[in-house]
Amino acid sequence: MKKVVPILLMIGFILCALIGGLGYTAYKKYAPVKERADLTSLYGASGDEVALFLDDELQEAKGSFQNGQVYLPVSWVNQNLNERFYWDANEQLLVYTLPESIVYMDQNTRGESGAPVIITRAKALDAEADAKENVYLSEELIAQYTDVRLTAFAEDAVRQADDSSGKGAGNQTGEKAGRKTGNAAKTSVKRMFVDRKWEAEEWTALKSAGAVRERGGIKSLVVVQEPQGAKVRVLETMERWAKVRTEDGHMGYIEKRRLGDRENVTYISTFEAPVYTNISMEEKVCLVWHQVTSMEANRTLTKLLNHTKGVNVVSPTWFALTDNEGNFTSLADRSYVDSLHDQGIQVWALIDNFSQDVQTEILLSRTSVRQKLISGLMEQVETYDLDGLNLDFESLKESAGPHYIQFIRELSVACRQKQIVLSVDNYVPASYNAYYNRREQGIVADYVIIMGYDEHYSGGEAGPVASYPYVKNGIEGTLKEVPKEKVINAIPFYTRVWKENADGTTSSDALGIADAKAWVDSNKVSLYWQDEIGLYYGEISNAEVRKEIWLEEETSIGLKMDLIRDYDLAGVACWKLGFEPASIWEVVKLNE
């Protein structure tokens, strides 16, 4: 009997150990993890770096905490918040263009808080990076010009941008989300939330304390522990978990059962967006470009205009850039302008960048050069009593894009102040020319002109100059970015005769409509209507060469004019005066 007791005790100990082991295993399997997440790793920021959240999405870019506030990279701001902050890396100048004025800032410019509005941060390990990447703008400057809410969580402050700058950020209606300054002061990871949306948000007070975790699931690491009654913003709900943003700026997941009743919090923006006034003609625009290559060519105007009908704007090609310093040649003639004014016709003088000595990406990248060029153009406007300017900058490199649109912004200010029209010529929209930024043009310029031709061009494959689908797609693509009241579609008064030689090489000659018709007649070319492209096609050939033509004439031009009317565009532009037979004007006229 005495031996039995030790055996029973041993069995008991074994059973207890087994039960304890099973219990511990079960606990390890089902008990919530209490381990804290590494916030530095989670948010990807340390020290004075600031993790950025855009509409609650963590960004790769980082802000910088300096001078008691957050600074954001100007490149990130341009891409996501406000493209009008223009950094001139050559002259170390920040330029912001308003409808009636231009604001210039440098690293000595200070905001209302007394802190610099611009800082630069050198990147020793990235010496070849674009200098723009090292420029940062203060949150108070961004809030002053941008319709966003900026909420910062740093070691020594939790605030909204309107608390410090008084401008730009939104005010909330309903119960304002609380601020846990004590909790935020303990974290070593600085964060800024940038909200572009103004819809109502769902907030709730927690019914019970709980952990906000990196992911849904009790085995996920804890981002922050929230007490009962803490308020969280509900971003997304799942079966058992909800994605939330806490009052003190942490993102994660909490058990759905801990959420209380939800309430909507609505934010009202106090930002006053700039108002861009534009000049519009009372009637539809009927513009013709007059190619002027010498002072003597100005004298051809009267003869060329005699057989036109309905023309209310003439755009002479008077100004041509000559170098990268803002200089240009002028063929302007006051008597030319006076003569047109006597006929009730406006003059929108054209400036181009066609010279091989001009690299537009260099020319427009310096603020002082843009100022010089604009000043020179305004002198011409005053001297010759011009009604407008027509900007015809072509073959731009993608690197010229930001400088080009900044030039248009600044030129629009000068034109607006003098009450003259600014029109801008553009290619048919395509992915490879998106950097011409038609959307911004449509805001700051008076008219956006589609050059609805050169579908097939000299040096390219044989084909029509402006097929019906090509023109239609150009109009529809432009209207996605520019209001119809500002869109002018340009039509060709020319066509091309294509030559394919026996060796397979191809070339072409551009002929005005009148000359092209004469070529067809003299060569006895049989024409066939191609309904799908809205053009007559003809060809002739011999042993040495094959010639093709897609003829522009009254019927094809009429179809293009129908598109202008169907889409209720602002008007038509014609390249070029003198290429057309008189009969074409019965089709082109818009206002009779």
Side-chain angles (χ1 to χ4, degrees):
M1 187 65 180
K2 292 180 180 180
K3 292 183 178 181
V4 172
V5 173
I7 293 173
L8 290 175
L9 289 173
M10 185 177 296
I11 292 172
F13 285 136
I14 292 172
L15 288 174
C16 287
L18 287 172
I19 293 171
L22 290 172
Y24 179 75
T25 301
Y27 172 79
K28 291 288 287 183
K29 183 175 181 180
Y30 296 107
V33 166
K34 296 182 179 180
E35 182 181 352
R36 292 297 184 104
D38 180 354
L39 297 187
T40 298
S41 175
L42 178 64
Y43 295 129
S46 61
D48 288 331
E49 290 182 326
V50 180
L52 294 182
F53 288 85
L54 178 63
D55 297 329
D56 299 310
E57 293 292 331
L58 182 62
Q59 304 292 292
E60 182 178 348
K62 302 289 182 292
S64 179
F65 188 73
Q66 305 288 333
N67 307 307
Q69 62 178 305
V70 177
Y71 290 76
L72 305 183
V74 67
S75 54
W76 185 85
V77 173
N78 287 160
Q79 183 177 357
N80 296 285
L81 306 182
N82 189 336
E83 65 177 288
R84 291 180 185 152
F85 287 109
Y86 174 83
W87 176 250
D88 181 340
N90 295 302
E91 299 178 359
Q92 294 290 291
L93 197 64
L94 183 72
V95 185
Y96 197 87
T97 309
L98 296 166
E100 300 287 346
S101 62
I102 304 172
V103 181
Y104 301 97
M105 295 163 276
D106 59 23
Q107 295 179 58
N108 294 317
T109 306
R110 297 184 177 273
E112 293 185 3
S113 68
V117 297
I118 307 166
I119 63 171
T120 56
R121 293 171 59 86
K123 294 184 178 180
L125 299 180
D126 195 12
E128 295 187 6
D130 187 339
K132 183 178 177 181
E133 299 297 325
N134 302 331
V135 179
Y136 288 66
L137 308 182
S138 70
E139 59 178 283
E140 65 176 323
L141 176 64
I142 296 167
Q144 182 177 355
Y145 292 110
T146 313
D147 192 16
V148 292
R149 286 176 289 138
L150 306 176
T151 310
F153 300 90
E155 288 184 342
D156 57 354
V158 179
R159 65 198 178 286
Q160 282 194 302
D162 57 334
D163 295 333
S164 60
S165 71
K167 298 181 180 179
N171 293 328
Q172 301 176 165
T173 62
E175 184 175 353
K176 192 169 185 176
R179 301 285 179 254
K180 296 186 177 180
T181 56
N183 218 10
K186 295 177 182 178
T187 181
S188 61
V189 179
K190 302 172 181 64
R191 305 170 304 289
M192 169 165 274
F193 286 81
V194 181
D195 293 298
R196 300 175 295 186
K197 302 174 183 177
W198 297 96
E199 297 88 9
E201 298 176 350
E202 279 192 346
W203 285 81
T204 184
L206 297 182
K207 293 188 295 185
S208 59
V212 176
R213 301 179 180 275
E214 285 190 39
R215 294 178 295 276
I218 59 174
K219 295 303 180 182
S220 181
L221 299 179
V222 176
V223 177
V224 65
Q225 191 74 33
E226 290 292 287
Q228 180 182 353
K231 288 187 176 180
V232 296
R233 178 185 167 195
V234 182
L235 302 175
E236 182 184 355
T237 55
M238 290 147 277
E239 183 178 354
R240 294 181 55 193
W241 293 84
K243 185 178 182 180
V244 298
R245 170 173 149 183
T246 68
E247 285 181 304
D248 53 358
H250 287 290
M251 299 278 290
Y253 295 82
I254 195 168
E255 291 174 294
K256 187 177 174 182
R257 62 185 177 88
R258 300 187 187 277
L259 302 181
D261 294 334
R262 303 182 194 183
E263 62 174 335
N264 287 332
V265 175
T266 302
Y267 298 86
I268 299 176
S269 173
T270 60
F271 177 76
E272 295 183 7
V275 177
Y276 289 86
T277 58
N278 299 112
I279 300 174
S280 298
M281 295 186 66
E282 294 182 358
E283 58 183 355
K284 298 289 187 181
V285 175
C286 186
L287 177 151
V288 289
W289 280 292
H290 179 204
Q291 188 173 30
V292 178
T293 56
S294 67
M295 291 300 295
E296 291 72 22
N298 284 317
R299 300 187 182 96
T300 65
L301 176 66
T302 301
K303 179 181 178 180
L304 294 174
L305 272 181
N306 279 341
H307 68 270
T308 66
K309 288 185 179 180
V311 172
N312 52 22
V313 179
V314 172
S315 179
T317 59
W318 275 347
F319 308 135
L321 293 170
T322 57
D323 55 31
N324 293 330
E325 301 302 321
N327 297 305
F328 59 91
T329 57
S330 173
L331 295 172
D333 184 335
R334 181 60 185 257
S335 62
Y336 182 107
V337 177
D338 292 341
S339 172
L340 288 172
H341 284 175
D342 289 342
Q343 301 173 66
I345 298 174
Q346 293 192 15
V347 180
W348 300 355
L350 178 147
I351 179 170
D352 68 52
N353 66 333
F354 300 165
S355 170
Q356 294 184 350
D357 295 324
V358 173
Q359 289 77 47
T360 313
E361 68 278 8
I362 297 174
L363 165 68
L364 298 182
S365 67
R366 290 172 291 165
T367 299
S368 60
V369 175
R370 294 194 307 275
Q371 290 172 331
K372 175 183 176 181
L373 175 55
I374 292 171
S375 177
L377 289 171
M378 291 305 107
E379 288 180 6
Q380 296 287 309
V381 168
E382 287 283 350
T383 301
Y384 297 98
D385 193 24
L386 302 177
D387 305 288
L389 292 173
N390 177 237
L391 190 62
D392 189 20
F393 283 14
E394 301 184 24
S395 301
L396 296 181
K397 296 180 180 178
E398 186 170 0
S399 60
H403 314 304
Y404 174 63
I405 196 63
Q406 180 61 22
F407 172 64
I408 295 175
R409 291 189 191 108
E410 295 173 8
L411 181 58
S412 79
V413 173
C415 291
R416 201 171 290 112
Q417 290 172 345
K418 290 192 177 294
Q419 285 296 291
I420 65 165
V421 173
L422 174 60
S423 61
V424 185
D425 301 339
N426 285 270
Y427 297 117
V428 166
S431 58
Y432 56 80
N433 60 36
Y435 54 85
Y436 275 74
N437 201 341
R438 278 167 286 269
R439 186 194 65 81
E440 185 76 348
Q441 288 184 36
I443 295 172
V444 303
D446 297 300
Y447 291 105
V448 174
I449 300 178
I450 311 166
M451 295 184 291
Y453 38 73
D454 278 351
E455 178 181 4
H456 293 84
Y457 47 87
S458 177
E461 295 180 352
V465 167
S467 69
Y468 183 87
Y470 179 77
V471 175
K472 186 173 187 289
N473 290 337
I475 292 173
E476 291 178 345
T478 302
L479 290 176
K480 292 177 181 178
E481 301 178 289
V482 183
K484 66 180 183 179
E485 296 80 12
K486 291 190 173 189
V487 176
I488 296 171
N489 186 67
I491 59 175
F493 279 174
Y494 69 96
T495 191
R496 289 187 178 276
V497 175
W498 294 89
K499 292 178 282 189
E500 182 179 348
N501 300 313
D503 61 3
T505 59
T506 301
S507 61
S508 68
D509 293 319
L511 299 177
I513 292 176
D515 288 343
K517 285 184 172 183
W519 181 86
V520 168
D521 290 341
S522 65
N523 287 278
K524 298 181 173 54
V525 179
S526 297
L527 296 175
Y528 304 91
W529 179 255
Q530 297 187 331
D531 194 56
E532 67 278 9
I533 62 173
L535 288 161
Y536 282 105
Y537 171 79
E539 64 177 76
I540 54 174
S541 61
N542 55 40
E544 297 179 354
V545 66
R546 176 171 174 253
K547 295 184 178 182
E548 298 176 281
I549 189 170
W550 286 263
L551 182 66
E552 292 287 355
E553 41 66 65
E554 287 79 1
T555 305
S556 65
I557 295 296
L559 291 175
K560 297 173 180 60
M561 294 304 299
D562 288 342
L563 286 172
I564 292 171
R565 295 184 182 94
D566 291 344
Y567 285 97
D568 194 23
L569 303 186
V572 63
C574 312
W575 179 263
K576 67 178 178 170
L577 184 62
F579 265 9
E580 79 286 5
S583 58
I584 209 75
W585 289 103
E586 295 298 328
V587 178
V588 171
K589 61 184 181 181
L590 277 172
N591 296 304
E592 297 181 17

